[in-house]
Amino acid sequence: TYALRGLHCEKCVQRITAVLRQKFSGFSLMLNPPRLTVGEDAPDLATINGYLAEAGDYSAATVDSAAPPAAPATASAEPAVAE
């Protein structure tokens, strides 16, 4: 499963579906949240991103890499050492 960038509406789903159907089968698209689920025989991520570019300004990323960055770590409050 990949997170999709640029997928905002049903028209986007139709554009992507039209291109991907020409390239491979065994996939499903979800609009909210924007996800592409592929079967085990699907092409690699770079190839999928090439196909998505044919459909428009779309890209896929692994779900983990598409997550927002973690909040910056805060300094730990270590107890003061008595001298």
Side-chain angles (χ1 to χ4, degrees):
T1 298
Y2 299 108
L4 291 178
R5 294 185 183 115
L7 182 69
H8 302 289
C9 65
E10 189 58 39
K11 185 76 170 176
C12 295
V13 171
Q14 292 170 5
R15 285 185 189 131
I16 292 171
T17 299
V19 170
L20 294 184
R21 278 190 182 151
Q22 297 173 15
K23 309 298 184 180
F24 68 99
S25 60
F27 68 89
S28 64
L29 283 171
M30 187 166 56
L31 184 57
N32 191 18
R35 297 284 188 262
L36 170 65
T37 302
V38 297
E40 291 182 17
D41 61 340
D44 63 20
L45 180 58
T47 301
I48 289 172
N49 274 316
Y51 297 157
L52 291 172
E54 290 179 33
D57 191 17
Y58 307 108
S59 64
T62 57
V63 174
D64 291 338
S65 68
T74 56
S76 62
E78 294 182 22
V81 177
E83 294 184 22

